[in-house]
Amino acid sequence: DAMVIQNPRYQVTQFGKPVTLSCSQTLNHNVMYWYQQKSSQAPKLLFHYYDKDFNNEADTPDNFQSRRPNTSFCFLDIRSPGLGDAAMYLCATSRAGAYIQYFGAGTRLSVL
Amino acid sequence: RKEVEQDPGPFNVPEGATVAFNCTYSNSASQSFFWYRQDCRKEPKLLMSVYSSGNEDGRFTAQLNRASQYISLLIRDSKLSDSATYLCVVNMGSSNTGKLIFGQGTTLQVKP
């Protein structure tokens, strides 16, 4: 059974129309991450939560926001998607103090 | 200079061949190292951790050279199912959050 679940698997949105991607986990891990991966590129960390503490990467655009209402769920909000935001968005989790991360299957976002 | 560098390939090899991938990292303070496998349009999955003494898992052998800041992955007796992108991954964050830095990945195509 999947332990890190992302919904939807595919998302199509219009230029400038806000979109929310969802991630849930059954592992009870403290840390949740959001990555952006474009074609033939490495996954790029956008931000992560350690429990309720939000940690933004310095180069993450303000257009990207996140919410973590409880341990199990984390959301990625893109306030005004641009064409350049089309990518695979990966959610991952880890236990505090552990380095191994477990990934969800990803949400592939298209922007029209 | 990228924090984690890999030759993107592609490496095209026949079934049964032995193939080696290399990776260099820039932060000498890095402590944890991994190889992840990513199939086309799927999420990264942990292949193996890399230890200073070197470690082997079946047909896969990983080596770490801290002095040279170099990591390698050797695949023996390649199978068609080994075709994927192999991501070199290095932990550079605090022990609490396990922040990972991904290389671009090396693509392997095993042919009959």
Side-chain angles (χ1 to χ4, degrees):
Chain A
D1 290 337
M3 296 176 288
V4 183
I5 302 164
Q6 291 188 242
N7 285 302
R9 292 293 310 280
Y10 301 92
Q11 176 73 57
V12 181
T13 191
Q14 291 179 332
F15 182 94
K17 185 175 181 181
V19 66
T20 294
L21 309 182
S22 166
C23 178
S24 63
Q25 54 134 337
T26 60
L27 298 166
N28 204 33
H29 283 171
N30 302 80
V31 193
M32 294 187 77
Y33 310 80
W34 279 104
Y35 291 85
Q36 179 193 65
Q37 187 177 26
K38 296 186 177 180
S39 182
S40 301
Q41 295 185 21
K44 178 181 178 300
L45 183 64
L46 296 173
F47 26 60
H48 71 274
Y49 273 94
Y50 177 75
D51 291 329
K52 292 187 176 182
D53 292 333
F54 178 70
N55 298 272
N56 199 29
E57 292 300 300
D59 57 354
T60 298
D62 292 340
N63 196 27
F64 292 87
Q65 303 287 322
S66 186
R67 295 170 283 135
R68 188 178 186 187
N70 53 52
T71 300
S72 300
F73 284 87
C74 195
F75 300 98
L76 169 62
D77 300 308
I78 308 176
R79 292 193 296 191
S80 181
L83 298 179
D85 297 327
M88 171 82 96
Y89 290 88
L90 294 160
C91 174
T93 73
S94 70
R95 285 187 294 109
Y99 299 137
I100 294 174
Q101 294 184 13
Y102 299 85
F103 284 83
T107 294
R108 186 165 295 278
L109 177 69
S110 299
V111 182
L112 303 179
Chain B
R1 181 184 173 189
K2 291 181 182 177
E3 292 177 283
V4 179
E5 291 206 62
Q6 296 180 249
D7 178 351
F11 284 60
N12 295 302
V13 303
E15 268 188 293
T18 295
V19 62
F21 305 140
N22 304 319
C23 167
T24 58
Y25 59 95
S26 62
N27 189 338
S28 59
S30 298
Q31 298 185 20
S32 297
F33 310 90
F34 309 94
W35 284 101
Y36 276 71
R37 169 187 170 136
Q38 187 171 25
D39 292 292
C40 187
R41 302 175 77 85
K42 297 287 183 66
E43 75 275 22
K45 292 185 178 179
L46 179 67
L47 178 66
M48 58 197 304
S49 301
V50 187
Y51 303 117
S52 295
S53 55
N55 48 300
E56 186 175 307
D57 182 2
R59 297 181 293 109
F60 299 84
T61 300
Q63 297 277 354
L64 168 64
N65 184 324
R66 285 187 184 270
S68 301
Q69 295 178 208
Y70 171 96
I71 305 161
S72 66
L73 177 68
L74 183 76
I75 306 176
R76 291 181 299 278
D77 189 22
S78 300
K79 311 290 185 193
L80 295 176
S81 58
D82 294 334
S83 298
T85 295
Y86 291 84
L87 300 165
C88 176
V89 185
V90 177
N91 168 267
M92 293 186 178
S94 71
S95 60
N96 282 338
T97 60
K99 176 179 171 179
L100 297 179
I101 305 297
F102 286 78
Q104 181 184 3
T106 298
T107 298
L108 172 66
Q109 184 67 44
V110 181
K111 298 190 180 296

